Amino acid sequence: MLVKVYGAAVQGLEALPVTIEVNASRGIKFYLVGLPDNAVKESHERIVAAIENSGFEFPSRQIVVNMAPADLRKEGSGFDLPLAIGILAAAEKIKSERLNRFILCGELSLDGSLQPIRGALPVAIKARELGYEGLIVPFGNVREASVVNRLKVYGVNHIRQVIDFFNGADSLQPTETDTRKEFYEQQNTFEFDFADVKGQDHVKRAIEVAAAGGHNLIMIGPPGSGKSMMAKRIPSILPPLSLSESLETTQIHSVAGKLGHNSTLVACRPFRSPHHTISQVALVGGGSNPQPGEISLAHNGVLFCDELPEFNRTVLEVLRQPLEDRCITISRAKYSINYPCSFMFIASMNPCPCGYYNHPTKACVCTPGQIQRYLNKISGPLLDRIDIQCEITPVPFEEISTARPGEPSASIRERVIRARNIQNERYKDVRGIHCNAQMTERLIQQFARPNDKGLELLRTAMKRLNLSARAYSRILKVARTIADLDNSDTVQTQHLAEAIGYRNLDRGDWAERR
């Protein structure tokens, strides 16, 4: 008997439908074709044990399973459930009339219980798109998949429930999730708050400007000055995710297997902080079984690189193109996959190898040449993509010991949201531009061109401070954001002056100052 069961394979962020054709005939052999990987080939032993431990006998017949399309590589353990159901249906142990109305996904344990899989959300989206009535997934994935409306999503714990469901002996109930309610309830929950940060008002101002315009930022300061502490609090002042952004972010984390059991939509902007020993593939994505990298996991959020000069230079260089294009194309011999990676790049570093250059109380033992070599670990093209460069000094004891808390994140966030709303209105007719950091040269000339007095200030600053030519457009973008925070329609001289102050590392004499 020939039956067809439907599953899905995840490639990149998209699920592709897979038709599992099972034919049972006279004989005793088992054949599995259709370009399965090792995890799919090993499913035979899991399926045999799961079927027998569920009270059924594995069919004593020749079983031929074809996974179509045959030229698409099938990877992962999520095909266990549809393969098992197809084999039982071909052996006439399951009624096959309703099999064509559902997509099935799940990994089987030897006792027949189902384990969660990766990529349940993209599969649910594809099932609705193709017009299937429902989706059957392990119970650990049901809340993740149920965020897709107009699709019946059934969560099951054991293969026996699926068998009874198709035989009419058990009526499973679809899971319904109030996605919007849960999403908006979790949007304002943050572990860290800027109220914990005492002093460093000029650094918090720079971070506010960066958050308001989506600018990349680097903080340079000695150990213990609060760089990492403030970076961890940046998500608490960013605008809340929209539902479309949350769905896209959740898809990426679902494919990467980063969602916890019984998780729904990602409600808060992600914050990723990879260690400096990370490899190129782990950072941008790829591998033999392609997975999103850290830059894609930080999509719509923050990628924080602590101790930036300690990263391998070749690893840092792969960031250059994603920072500009906000997407990454990973091309290998067997596949080509696009992942989105629109994130705020936040970095921190010590000013010199010993860490105490420009420290108010501790002497630096590094020579100007050592300092320059340390800074040269970060290439000019990468530094060119960092809009705000902020120098930090340690907080005095008087400010640390005070009991008065700093300004809370909620207050800063209100100002950031107001500035972002201005930018959303400004760029509503420009495709792919949502904040000032994404402005093209044409948009800079249209919206951020200063008056004659401002141009004279910028010309003077570039000559006297020995600023590079690459700083010109970055200064104008940041000045436009400062003007938005000031609710100003035009870029004023004071806005340019503040933006110029955020280009410390562009100063030719920075490493020689004592």
Side-chain angles (χ1 to χ4, degrees):
M1 180 179 179
L2 174 65
V3 297
K4 293 184 180 181
V5 184
Y6 298 92
V10 177
Q11 244 189 17
L13 299 184
E14 185 181 4
L16 303 175
V18 174
T19 302
I20 298 172
E21 302 170 325
V22 184
N23 185 64
S25 59
R26 184 175 299 174
I28 57 172
K29 291 188 176 182
F30 180 87
Y31 298 96
L32 178 61
V33 297
L35 211 60
D37 74 344
N38 286 335
V40 181
K41 291 176 182 176
E42 291 173 355
S43 65
H44 176 261
E45 284 69 27
R46 293 193 295 271
I47 291 170
V48 171
I51 289 176
E52 291 179 348
N53 289 322
S54 299
F56 293 86
E57 288 186 8
F58 192 83
S60 300
R61 309 179 69 180
Q62 178 169 291
I63 304 293
V64 179
V65 181
N66 177 47
M67 307 178 76
D71 60 346
L72 173 67
R73 188 164 184 79
K74 321 303 186 302
E75 299 174 342
S77 56
F79 293 102
D80 289 6
L81 180 60
L83 285 171
I85 295 300
I87 290 170
L88 289 174
E92 300 182 359
K93 301 292 180 64
I94 294 179
K95 297 177 181 177
S96 58
E97 292 82 5
R98 294 197 298 160
L99 287 178
N100 63 342
R101 291 152 54 183
F102 296 87
I103 283 183
L104 288 73
C105 294
E107 175 187 335
L108 283 172
S109 295
L110 298 185
D111 62 355
S113 60
L114 288 167
Q115 301 300 320
I117 59 169
R118 294 182 177 184
L121 180 56
V123 173
I125 293 172
K126 180 58 70 172
R128 183 184 65 181
E129 180 185 323
L130 295 177
Y132 284 90
E133 178 183 324
L135 171 68
I136 298 177
V137 294
F139 193 79
N141 295 117
V142 67
R143 281 170 55 80
E144 170 190 342
S146 64
V147 303
V148 179
N149 54 17
R150 302 192 304 278
L151 178 73
K152 294 179 181 178
V153 179
Y154 300 91
V156 293
N157 290 309
H158 199 277
I159 189 176
R160 184 83 206 197
Q161 294 175 269
V162 185
I163 296 170
D164 291 342
F165 174 71
F166 285 113
N167 285 335
D170 185 11
S171 58
L172 294 175
Q173 296 300 316
T175 300
E176 295 182 1
T177 303
D178 192 341
T179 308
R180 291 179 179 271
K181 180 181 177 182
E182 293 189 9
F183 174 70
Y184 290 118
E185 281 179 351
Q186 299 173 15
Q187 275 199 324
N188 297 312
T189 304
F190 300 104
E191 183 180 359
F192 303 108
D193 195 287
F194 268 101
D196 304 327
V197 181
K198 297 177 181 179
Q200 303 290 22
D201 291 336
H202 72 290
V203 184
K204 287 191 279 190
R205 168 64 177 178
I207 291 174
E208 179 182 337
V209 172
H215 301 288
N216 302 321
L217 175 144
I218 185 169
M219 295 176 281
I220 312 104
S225 55
K227 303 184 293 295
S228 301
M229 180 183 186
M230 286 184 280
K232 291 177 181 178
R233 285 155 174 77
I234 291 177
S236 67
I237 65 171
L238 290 173
L241 284 169
S242 66
L243 273 171
S244 61
E245 287 177 326
S246 177
L247 185 63
E248 190 176 32
T249 305
T250 307
Q251 274 187 267
I252 297 170
H253 285 249
S254 173
V255 169
K258 301 297 183 182
L259 289 179
H261 293 175
N262 297 317
S263 296
T264 54
L265 289 175
V266 174
C268 298
R269 294 189 179 272
F271 179 87
R272 305 294 300 182
S273 181
H275 192 260
H276 62 257
T277 55
I278 191 171
S279 67
Q280 294 184 44
V281 171
L283 187 63
V284 300
S288 56
N289 296 324
Q291 292 290 316
E294 288 292 331
I295 62 173
S296 296
L297 292 171
H299 181 60
N300 291 322
V302 175
L303 178 70
F304 175 51
C305 291
D306 200 5
E307 304 298 343
L308 191 64
E310 301 304 323
F311 282 76
N312 190 305
R313 186 184 178 104
T314 58
V315 172
L316 290 180
E317 292 308 295
V318 301
L319 285 174
R320 287 158 53 175
Q321 181 263 337
L323 283 172
E324 286 292 323
D325 297 344
R326 300 183 180 270
C327 67
I328 179 75
T329 301
I330 300 168
S331 299
R332 301 291 185 268
K334 295 182 179 180
Y335 63 83
S336 180
I337 292 176
N338 291 313
Y339 289 121
C341 57
S342 179
F343 57 89
M344 272 183 66
F345 180 57
I346 306 296
S348 70
M349 59 178 287
N350 294 329
C352 65
C354 78
Y356 296 107
Y357 177 66
N358 272 350
H359 195 284
T361 58
K362 294 186 179 181
C364 172
V365 297
C366 305
T367 65
Q370 288 175 315
I371 297 173
Q372 194 62 57
R373 282 193 296 274
Y374 186 76
L375 296 178
N376 286 343
K377 290 183 178 181
I378 307 168
S379 70
L382 178 62
L383 198 60
D384 180 37
R385 290 160 172 81
I386 301 178
D387 303 343
I388 298 177
Q389 303 157 2
C390 185
E391 194 171 357
I392 302 177
T393 55
V395 180
F397 172 78
E398 291 73 16
E399 294 189 26
I400 296 177
S401 59
T402 181
R404 182 173 57 86
E407 185 179 17
S409 293
S411 301
I412 304 173
R413 195 185 198 196
E414 287 180 5
R415 297 194 294 269
V416 169
I417 291 174
R418 282 199 298 269
R420 284 290 185 102
N421 289 338
I422 293 172
Q423 294 165 49
N424 288 335
E425 181 65 25
R426 178 184 299 135
Y427 306 124
K428 64 181 180 181
D429 297 327
V430 185
R431 185 178 179 182
I433 306 295
H434 307 287
C435 59
N436 290 332
Q438 300 171 351
M439 280 196 293
T440 62
E441 290 299 322
R442 182 177 297 178
L443 291 176
I444 290 174
Q445 293 300 316
Q446 184 177 352
F447 296 115
R449 184 171 177 82
N451 55 27
D452 292 340
K453 189 175 180 181
L455 282 174
E456 185 60 34
L457 172 65
L458 187 55
R459 184 181 297 110
T460 303
M462 293 189 72
K463 289 181 178 179
R464 290 188 178 180
L465 301 179
N466 196 23
L467 295 177
S468 64
R470 66 174 179 260
Y472 176 78
S473 62
R474 302 289 170 178
I475 289 174
L476 290 180
K477 289 181 181 181
V478 175
R480 179 63 265 177
T481 300
I482 297 170
D484 290 339
L485 285 168
D486 203 22
N487 201 24
S488 173
D489 293 332
T490 59
V491 175
Q492 304 292 329
T493 306
Q494 65 270 23
H495 305 144
L496 274 170
E498 183 177 350
I500 290 168
Y502 292 140
R503 300 299 300 186
N504 284 332
L505 290 184
D506 276 340
R507 297 175 60 165
D509 65 338
W510 193 85
E512 285 80 26
R513 286 187 290 127
R514 284 289 183 181

